[in-house]
PDB file of all heavy atoms in Angstrom:
ATOM      1  N   ASP L   1     168.504 113.362  44.138  1.00  0.00           N
ATOM      2  CA  ASP L   1     167.455 112.406  43.782  1.00  0.00           C
ATOM      3  C   ASP L   1     166.089 113.008  44.092  1.00  0.00           C
ATOM      4  O   ASP L   1     165.431 112.652  45.073  1.00  0.00           O
ATOM      5  CB  ASP L   1     167.665 111.098  44.549  1.00  0.00           C
ATOM      6  CG  ASP L   1     166.621 110.041  44.184  1.00  0.00           C
ATOM      7  OD1 ASP L   1     166.029 110.137  43.086  1.00  0.00           O
ATOM      8  OD2 ASP L   1     166.405 109.119  45.002  1.00  0.00           O
ATOM      9  N   LEU L   2     165.661 113.915  43.246  1.00  0.00           N
ATOM     10  CA  LEU L   2     164.389 114.595  43.466  1.00  0.00           C
ATOM     11  C   LEU L   2     163.226 113.617  43.487  1.00  0.00           C
ATOM     12  O   LEU L   2     162.376 113.660  44.382  1.00  0.00           O
ATOM     13  CB  LEU L   2     164.173 115.658  42.383  1.00  0.00           C
ATOM     14  CG  LEU L   2     162.791 116.319  42.346  1.00  0.00           C
ATOM     15  CD1 LEU L   2     162.449 116.981  43.666  1.00  0.00           C
ATOM     16  CD2 LEU L   2     162.720 117.328  41.194  1.00  0.00           C
ATOM     17  N   ARG L   3     163.156 112.743  42.509  1.00  0.00           N
ATOM     18  CA  ARG L   3     162.022 111.815  42.460  1.00  0.00           C
ATOM     19  C   ARG L   3     162.012 110.902  43.690  1.00  0.00           C
ATOM     20  O   ARG L   3     160.959 110.647  44.284  1.00  0.00           O
ATOM     21  CB  ARG L   3     162.074 110.977  41.175  1.00  0.00           C
ATOM     22  CG  ARG L   3     160.837 110.099  40.985  1.00  0.00           C
ATOM     23  CD  ARG L   3     160.823 109.483  39.597  1.00  0.00           C
ATOM     24  NE  ARG L   3     160.670 110.502  38.583  1.00  0.00           N
ATOM     25  CZ  ARG L   3     159.507 110.992  38.174  1.00  0.00           C
ATOM     26  NH1 ARG L   3     158.379 110.554  38.710  1.00  0.00           N
ATOM     27  NH2 ARG L   3     159.446 111.902  37.230  1.00  0.00           N
ATOM     28  N   GLY L   4     163.175 110.425  44.084  1.00  0.00           N
ATOM     29  CA  GLY L   4     163.239 109.591  45.269  1.00  0.00           C
ATOM     30  C   GLY L   4     162.778 110.324  46.515  1.00  0.00           C
ATOM     31  O   GLY L   4     162.084 109.756  47.368  1.00  0.00           O
ATOM     32  N   LEU L   5     163.158 111.607  46.626  1.00  0.00           N
ATOM     33  CA  LEU L   5     162.741 112.403  47.779  1.00  0.00           C
ATOM     34  C   LEU L   5     161.228 112.596  47.800  1.00  0.00           C
ATOM     35  O   LEU L   5     160.585 112.475  48.855  1.00  0.00           O
ATOM     36  CB  LEU L   5     163.436 113.759  47.758  1.00  0.00           C
ATOM     37  CG  LEU L   5     162.998 114.756  48.839  1.00  0.00           C
ATOM     38  CD1 LEU L   5     163.328 114.215  50.231  1.00  0.00           C
ATOM     39  CD2 LEU L   5     163.634 116.117  48.633  1.00  0.00           C
ATOM     40  N   GLU L   6     160.641 112.898  46.647  1.00  0.00           N
ATOM     41  CA  GLU L   6     159.195 113.112  46.589  1.00  0.00           C
ATOM     42  C   GLU L   6     158.429 111.846  46.965  1.00  0.00           C
ATOM     43  O   GLU L   6     157.450 111.892  47.716  1.00  0.00           O
ATOM     44  CB  GLU L   6     158.792 113.598  45.195  1.00  0.00           C
ATOM     45  CG  GLU L   6     159.264 115.008  44.893  1.00  0.00           C
ATOM     46  CD  GLU L   6     158.847 115.483  43.523  1.00  0.00           C
ATOM     47  OE1 GLU L   6     159.483 115.079  42.525  1.00  0.00           O
ATOM     48  OE2 GLU L   6     157.896 116.266  43.431  1.00  0.00           O
ATOM     49  N   TRP L   7     158.868 110.708  46.436  1.00  0.00           N
ATOM     50  CA  TRP L   7     158.199 109.456  46.774  1.00  0.00           C
ATOM     51  C   TRP L   7     158.456 109.077  48.221  1.00  0.00           C
ATOM     52  O   TRP L   7     157.559 108.573  48.902  1.00  0.00           O
ATOM     53  CB  TRP L   7     158.645 108.345  45.819  1.00  0.00           C
ATOM     54  CG  TRP L   7     157.860 108.354  44.550  1.00  0.00           C
ATOM     55  CD1 TRP L   7     158.061 109.157  43.463  1.00  0.00           C
ATOM     56  CD2 TRP L   7     156.717 107.548  44.241  1.00  0.00           C
ATOM     57  NE1 TRP L   7     157.121 108.895  42.495  1.00  0.00           N
ATOM     58  CE2 TRP L   7     156.291 107.910  42.941  1.00  0.00           C
ATOM     59  CE3 TRP L   7     156.041 106.553  44.920  1.00  0.00           C
ATOM     60  CZ2 TRP L   7     155.198 107.310  42.327  1.00  0.00           C
ATOM     61  CZ3 TRP L   7     154.950 105.941  44.306  1.00  0.00           C
ATOM     62  CH2 TRP L   7     154.538 106.322  43.029  1.00  0.00           C
ATOM     63  N   ALA L   8     159.669 109.305  48.706  1.00  0.00           N
ATOM     64  CA  ALA L   8     159.975 109.003  50.111  1.00  0.00           C
ATOM     65  C   ALA L   8     159.077 109.816  51.039  1.00  0.00           C
ATOM     66  O   ALA L   8     158.527 109.282  52.008  1.00  0.00           O
ATOM     67  CB  ALA L   8     161.447 109.288  50.406  1.00  0.00           C
ATOM     68  N   SER L   9     158.919 111.103  50.763  1.00  0.00           N
ATOM     69  CA  SER L   9     158.082 111.958  51.610  1.00  0.00           C
ATOM     70  C   SER L   9     156.637 111.495  51.610  1.00  0.00           C
ATOM     71  O   SER L   9     155.983 111.427  52.661  1.00  0.00           O
ATOM     72  CB  SER L   9     158.160 113.413  51.131  1.00  0.00           C
ATOM     73  OG  SER L   9     159.465 113.923  51.287  1.00  0.00           O
ATOM     74  N   ALA L  10     156.132 111.160  50.420  1.00  0.00           N
ATOM     75  CA  ALA L  10     154.737 110.726  50.312  1.00  0.00           C
ATOM     76  C   ALA L  10     154.517 109.388  51.004  1.00  0.00           C
ATOM     77  O   ALA L  10     153.560 109.212  51.773  1.00  0.00           O
ATOM     78  CB  ALA L  10     154.339 110.644  48.845  1.00  0.00           C
ATOM     79  N   LEU L  11     155.400 108.420  50.738  1.00  0.00           N
ATOM     80  CA  LEU L  11     155.221 107.091  51.307  1.00  0.00           C
ATOM     81  C   LEU L  11     155.449 107.094  52.816  1.00  0.00           C
ATOM     82  O   LEU L  11     154.726 106.417  53.567  1.00  0.00           O
ATOM     83  CB  LEU L  11     156.174 106.104  50.624  1.00  0.00           C
ATOM     84  CG  LEU L  11     155.949 105.891  49.119  1.00  0.00           C
ATOM     85  CD1 LEU L  11     156.978 104.925  48.560  1.00  0.00           C
ATOM     86  CD2 LEU L  11     154.536 105.396  48.826  1.00  0.00           C
ATOM     87  N   ALA L  12     156.446 107.848  53.281  1.00  0.00           N
ATOM     88  CA  ALA L  12     156.689 107.928  54.726  1.00  0.00           C
ATOM     89  C   ALA L  12     155.502 108.555  55.442  1.00  0.00           C
ATOM     90  O   ALA L  12     155.171 108.158  56.571  1.00  0.00           O
ATOM     91  CB  ALA L  12     157.963 108.717  55.004  1.00  0.00           C
ATOM     92  N   GLY L  13     154.861 109.529  54.809  1.00  0.00           N
ATOM     93  CA  GLY L  13     153.666 110.113  55.405  1.00  0.00           C
ATOM     94  C   GLY L  13     152.569 109.078  55.588  1.00  0.00           C
ATOM     95  O   GLY L  13     151.893 109.040  56.624  1.00  0.00           O
ATOM     96  N   CYS L  14     152.401 108.211  54.582  1.00  0.00           N
ATOM     97  CA  CYS L  14     151.399 107.139  54.687  1.00  0.00           C
ATOM     98  C   CYS L  14     151.744 106.175  55.811  1.00  0.00           C
ATOM     99  O   CYS L  14     150.890 105.793  56.619  1.00  0.00           O
ATOM    100  CB  CYS L  14     151.323 106.378  53.372  1.00  0.00           C
ATOM    101  SG  CYS L  14     150.737 107.335  51.955  1.00  0.00           S
ATOM    102  N   LEU L  15     152.998 105.770  55.860  1.00  0.00           N
ATOM    103  CA  LEU L  15     153.417 104.775  56.842  1.00  0.00           C
ATOM    104  C   LEU L  15     153.440 105.343  58.252  1.00  0.00           C
ATOM    105  O   LEU L  15     153.243 104.610  59.232  1.00  0.00           O
ATOM    106  CB  LEU L  15     154.790 104.225  56.448  1.00  0.00           C
ATOM    107  CG  LEU L  15     154.793 103.463  55.106  1.00  0.00           C
ATOM    108  CD1 LEU L  15     156.221 103.169  54.665  1.00  0.00           C
ATOM    109  CD2 LEU L  15     153.983 102.179  55.206  1.00  0.00           C
ATOM    110  N   THR L  16     153.667 106.643  58.372  1.00  0.00           N
ATOM    111  CA  THR L  16     153.614 107.276  59.693  1.00  0.00           C
ATOM    112  C   THR L  16     152.205 107.217  60.255  1.00  0.00           C
ATOM    113  O   THR L  16     152.006 107.042  61.473  1.00  0.00           O
ATOM    114  CB  THR L  16     154.102 108.732  59.602  1.00  0.00           C
ATOM    115  OG1 THR L  16     155.486 108.724  59.246  1.00  0.00           O
ATOM    116  CG2 THR L  16     153.942 109.464  60.913  1.00  0.00           C
ATOM    117  N   LEU L  17     151.213 107.371  59.401  1.00  0.00           N
ATOM    118  CA  LEU L  17     149.833 107.207  59.858  1.00  0.00           C
ATOM    119  C   LEU L  17     149.648 105.819  60.465  1.00  0.00           C
ATOM    120  O   LEU L  17     148.992 105.651  61.495  1.00  0.00           O
ATOM    121  CB  LEU L  17     148.881 107.425  58.686  1.00  0.00           C
ATOM    122  CG  LEU L  17     147.376 107.392  58.985  1.00  0.00           C
ATOM    123  CD1 LEU L  17     146.637 108.352  58.060  1.00  0.00           C
ATOM    124  CD2 LEU L  17     146.800 105.990  58.814  1.00  0.00           C
ATOM    125  N   ALA L  18     150.279 104.816  59.842  1.00  0.00           N
ATOM    126  CA  ALA L  18     150.174 103.458  60.361  1.00  0.00           C
ATOM    127  C   ALA L  18     150.883 103.300  61.699  1.00  0.00           C
ATOM    128  O   ALA L  18     150.472 102.486  62.531  1.00  0.00           O
ATOM    129  CB  ALA L  18     150.751 102.469  59.349  1.00  0.00           C
ATOM    130  N   VAL L  19     151.963 104.065  61.917  1.00  0.00           N
ATOM    131  CA  VAL L  19     152.638 104.034  63.212  1.00  0.00           C
ATOM    132  C   VAL L  19     151.689 104.521  64.314  1.00  0.00           C
ATOM    133  O   VAL L  19     151.588 103.919  65.395  1.00  0.00           O
ATOM    134  CB  VAL L  19     153.924 104.881  63.191  1.00  0.00           C
ATOM    135  CG1 VAL L  19     154.501 105.042  64.599  1.00  0.00           C
ATOM    136  CG2 VAL L  19     154.969 104.241  62.274  1.00  0.00           C
ATOM    137  N   GLY L  20     150.983 105.616  64.042  1.00  0.00           N
ATOM    138  CA  GLY L  20     149.998 106.106  65.005  1.00  0.00           C
ATOM    139  C   GLY L  20     148.904 105.082  65.254  1.00  0.00           C
ATOM    140  O   GLY L  20     148.450 104.893  66.391  1.00  0.00           O
ATOM    141  N   TYR L  21     148.494 104.386  64.212  1.00  0.00           N
ATOM    142  CA  TYR L  21     147.490 103.337  64.324  1.00  0.00           C
ATOM    143  C   TYR L  21     148.003 102.215  65.222  1.00  0.00           C
ATOM    144  O   TYR L  21     147.295 101.742  66.122  1.00  0.00           O
ATOM    145  CB  TYR L  21     147.192 102.822  62.920  1.00  0.00           C
ATOM    146  CG  TYR L  21     146.092 101.801  62.820  1.00  0.00           C
ATOM    147  CD1 TYR L  21     144.761 102.181  62.754  1.00  0.00           C
ATOM    148  CD2 TYR L  21     146.394 100.444  62.748  1.00  0.00           C
ATOM    149  CE1 TYR L  21     143.747 101.250  62.630  1.00  0.00           C
ATOM    150  CE2 TYR L  21     145.390  99.497  62.622  1.00  0.00           C
ATOM    151  CZ  TYR L  21     144.066  99.906  62.564  1.00  0.00           C
ATOM    152  OH  TYR L  21     143.071  98.988  62.445  1.00  0.00           O
ATOM    153  N   ALA L  22     149.256 101.810  64.992  1.00  0.00           N
ATOM    154  CA  ALA L  22     149.851 100.729  65.787  1.00  0.00           C
ATOM    155  C   ALA L  22     149.996 101.138  67.246  1.00  0.00           C
ATOM    156  O   ALA L  22     149.776 100.328  68.161  1.00  0.00           O
ATOM    157  CB  ALA L  22     151.207 100.345  65.200  1.00  0.00           C
ATOM    158  N   GLN L  23     150.372 102.387  67.484  1.00  0.00           N
ATOM    159  CA  GLN L  23     150.503 102.863  68.858  1.00  0.00           C
ATOM    160  C   GLN L  23     149.157 102.844  69.578  1.00  0.00           C
ATOM    161  O   GLN L  23     149.078 102.508  70.759  1.00  0.00           O
ATOM    162  CB  GLN L  23     151.108 104.267  68.876  1.00  0.00           C
ATOM    163  CG  GLN L  23     152.579 104.302  68.469  1.00  0.00           C
ATOM    164  CD  GLN L  23     153.124 105.707  68.338  1.00  0.00           C
ATOM    165  OE1 GLN L  23     152.371 106.671  68.130  1.00  0.00           O
ATOM    166  NE2 GLN L  23     154.437 105.855  68.433  1.00  0.00           N
ATOM    167  N   ALA L  24     148.096 103.195  68.865  1.00  0.00           N
ATOM    168  CA  ALA L  24     146.765 103.177  69.477  1.00  0.00           C
ATOM    169  C   ALA L  24     146.341 101.763  69.843  1.00  0.00           C
ATOM    170  O   ALA L  24     145.607 101.557  70.805  1.00  0.00           O
ATOM    171  CB  ALA L  24     145.737 103.807  68.541  1.00  0.00           C
ATOM    172  N   LEU L  25     146.825 100.777  69.061  1.00  0.00           N
ATOM    173  CA  LEU L  25     146.529  99.380  69.367  1.00  0.00           C
ATOM    174  C   LEU L  25     147.450  98.834  70.440  1.00  0.00           C
ATOM    175  O   LEU L  25     147.357  97.659  70.798  1.00  0.00           O
ATOM    176  CB  LEU L  25     146.655  98.525  68.104  1.00  0.00           C
ATOM    177  CG  LEU L  25     145.683  98.831  66.960  1.00  0.00           C
ATOM    178  CD1 LEU L  25     145.933  97.883  65.802  1.00  0.00           C
ATOM    179  CD2 LEU L  25     144.240  98.742  67.426  1.00  0.00           C
ATOM    180  N   GLN L  26     148.359  99.685  70.931  1.00  0.00           N
ATOM    181  CA  GLN L  26     149.316  99.329  71.981  1.00  0.00           C
ATOM    182  C   GLN L  26     150.197  98.154  71.568  1.00  0.00           C
ATOM    183  O   GLN L  26     150.498  97.250  72.364  1.00  0.00           O
ATOM    184  CB  GLN L  26     148.594  99.021  73.293  1.00  0.00           C
ATOM    185  CG  GLN L  26     147.842 100.232  73.844  1.00  0.00           C
ATOM    186  CD  GLN L  26     147.203  99.970  75.195  1.00  0.00           C
ATOM    187  OE1 GLN L  26     146.752  98.871  75.492  1.00  0.00           O
ATOM    188  NE2 GLN L  26     147.183 101.000  76.022  1.00  0.00           N
ATOM    189  N   MET L  27     150.610  98.174  70.303  1.00  0.00           N
ATOM    190  CA  MET L  27     151.585  97.185  69.857  1.00  0.00           C
ATOM    191  C   MET L  27     152.916  97.434  70.554  1.00  0.00           C
ATOM    192  O   MET L  27     153.244  98.565  70.907  1.00  0.00           O
ATOM    193  CB  MET L  27     151.773  97.277  68.335  1.00  0.00           C
ATOM    194  CG  MET L  27     150.572  96.834  67.525  1.00  0.00           C
ATOM    195  SD  MET L  27     150.937  96.842  65.748  1.00  0.00           S
ATOM    196  CE  MET L  27     149.349  96.377  65.069  1.00  0.00           C
ATOM    197  N   SER L  28     153.678  96.389  70.746  1.00  0.00           N
ATOM    198  CA  SER L  28     154.955  96.516  71.441  1.00  0.00           C
ATOM    199  C   SER L  28     155.937  97.334  70.613  1.00  0.00           C
ATOM    200  O   SER L  28     155.808  97.442  69.383  1.00  0.00           O
ATOM    201  CB  SER L  28     155.553  95.137  71.706  1.00  0.00           C
ATOM    202  OG  SER L  28     155.954  94.527  70.483  1.00  0.00           O
ATOM    203  N   ALA L  29     156.939  97.908  71.296  1.00  0.00           N
ATOM    204  CA  ALA L  29     157.964  98.689  70.607  1.00  0.00           C
ATOM    205  C   ALA L  29     158.695  97.838  69.578  1.00  0.00           C
ATOM    206  O   ALA L  29     159.040  98.305  68.490  1.00  0.00           O
ATOM    207  CB  ALA L  29     158.950  99.263  71.621  1.00  0.00           C
ATOM    208  N   GLY L  30     158.926  96.573  69.918  1.00  0.00           N
ATOM    209  CA  GLY L  30     159.611  95.688  68.982  1.00  0.00           C
ATOM    210  C   GLY L  30     158.808  95.448  67.724  1.00  0.00           C
ATOM    211  O   GLY L  30     159.358  95.422  66.611  1.00  0.00           O
ATOM    212  N   LEU L  31     157.494  95.282  67.864  1.00  0.00           N
ATOM    213  CA  LEU L  31     156.647  95.052  66.697  1.00  0.00           C
ATOM    214  C   LEU L  31     156.569  96.309  65.831  1.00  0.00           C
ATOM    215  O   LEU L  31     156.580  96.229  64.599  1.00  0.00           O
ATOM    216  CB  LEU L  31     155.247  94.625  67.138  1.00  0.00           C
ATOM    217  CG  LEU L  31     154.319  94.124  66.030  1.00  0.00           C
ATOM    218  CD1 LEU L  31     154.949  92.972  65.273  1.00  0.00           C
ATOM    219  CD2 LEU L  31     152.975  93.709  66.604  1.00  0.00           C
ATOM    220  N   ILE L  32     156.507  97.476  66.479  1.00  0.00           N
ATOM    221  CA  ILE L  32     156.492  98.722  65.713  1.00  0.00           C
ATOM    222  C   ILE L  32     157.816  98.903  64.978  1.00  0.00           C
ATOM    223  O   ILE L  32     157.848  99.334  63.815  1.00  0.00           O
ATOM    224  CB  ILE L  32     156.202  99.920  66.636  1.00  0.00           C
ATOM    225  CG1 ILE L  32     154.749  99.853  67.137  1.00  0.00           C
ATOM    226  CG2 ILE L  32     156.428 101.241  65.902  1.00  0.00           C
ATOM    227  CD1 ILE L  32     154.387 100.927  68.131  1.00  0.00           C
ATOM    228  N   ALA L  33     158.933  98.540  65.614  1.00  0.00           N
ATOM    229  CA  ALA L  33     160.235  98.615  64.951  1.00  0.00           C
ATOM    230  C   ALA L  33     160.274  97.693  63.742  1.00  0.00           C
ATOM    231  O   ALA L  33     160.795  98.053  62.673  1.00  0.00           O
ATOM    232  CB  ALA L  33     161.340  98.252  65.933  1.00  0.00           C
ATOM    233  N   ALA L  34     159.717  96.476  63.886  1.00  0.00           N
ATOM    234  CA  ALA L  34     159.660  95.550  62.758  1.00  0.00           C
ATOM    235  C   ALA L  34     158.792  96.105  61.643  1.00  0.00           C
ATOM    236  O   ALA L  34     159.115  95.988  60.453  1.00  0.00           O
ATOM    237  CB  ALA L  34     159.127  94.195  63.228  1.00  0.00           C
ATOM    238  N   PHE L  35     157.670  96.717  62.032  1.00  0.00           N
ATOM    239  CA  PHE L  35     156.780  97.326  61.039  1.00  0.00           C
ATOM    240  C   PHE L  35     157.497  98.414  60.252  1.00  0.00           C
ATOM    241  O   PHE L  35     157.420  98.473  59.019  1.00  0.00           O
ATOM    242  CB  PHE L  35     155.545  97.900  61.724  1.00  0.00           C
ATOM    243  CG  PHE L  35     154.677  98.707  60.812  1.00  0.00           C
ATOM    244  CD1 PHE L  35     153.841  98.082  59.916  1.00  0.00           C
ATOM    245  CD2 PHE L  35     154.734 100.094  60.825  1.00  0.00           C
ATOM    246  CE1 PHE L  35     153.055  98.824  59.039  1.00  0.00           C
ATOM    247  CE2 PHE L  35     153.952 100.839  59.964  1.00  0.00           C
ATOM    248  CZ  PHE L  35     153.109 100.201  59.063  1.00  0.00           C
ATOM    249  N   ILE L  36     158.228  99.294  60.958  1.00  0.00           N
ATOM    250  CA  ILE L  36     158.947 100.376  60.288  1.00  0.00           C
ATOM    251  C   ILE L  36     159.993  99.813  59.333  1.00  0.00           C
ATOM    252  O   ILE L  36     160.118 100.251  58.181  1.00  0.00           O
ATOM    253  CB  ILE L  36     159.587 101.321  61.324  1.00  0.00           C
ATOM    254  CG1 ILE L  36     158.502 102.124  62.048  1.00  0.00           C
ATOM    255  CG2 ILE L  36     160.601 102.262  60.660  1.00  0.00           C
ATOM    256  CD1 ILE L  36     159.031 102.987  63.172  1.00  0.00           C
ATOM    257  N   THR L  37     160.753  98.813  59.798  1.00  0.00           N
ATOM    258  CA  THR L  37     161.806  98.232  58.962  1.00  0.00           C
ATOM    259  C   THR L  37     161.234  97.615  57.701  1.00  0.00           C
ATOM    260  O   THR L  37     161.714  97.861  56.590  1.00  0.00           O
ATOM    261  CB  THR L  37     162.581  97.170  59.762  1.00  0.00           C
ATOM    262  OG1 THR L  37     163.147  97.776  60.921  1.00  0.00           O
ATOM    263  CG2 THR L  37     163.699  96.571  58.925  1.00  0.00           C
TER     264      THR L  37
END
């Protein structure tokens, strides 16, 4: 699934930036887990 892999890599990169943002705001581990899901 080449197209799926390319989109997954791009979108995960965007969402990972948001994980760093959430960590800086000191969101709880549970909230970050919910965000990822």
Side-chain angles (χ1 to χ4, degrees):
D1 182 22
L2 171 58
R3 186 170 294 275
L5 175 63
E6 290 181 282
W7 276 81
S9 295
L11 297 178
C14 295
L15 296 170
T16 295
L17 184 147
V19 170
Y21 185 84
Q23 290 173 337
L25 297 181
Q26 297 184 326
M27 291 185 183
S28 69
L31 190 56
I32 291 176
F35 172 77
I36 290 175
T37 301

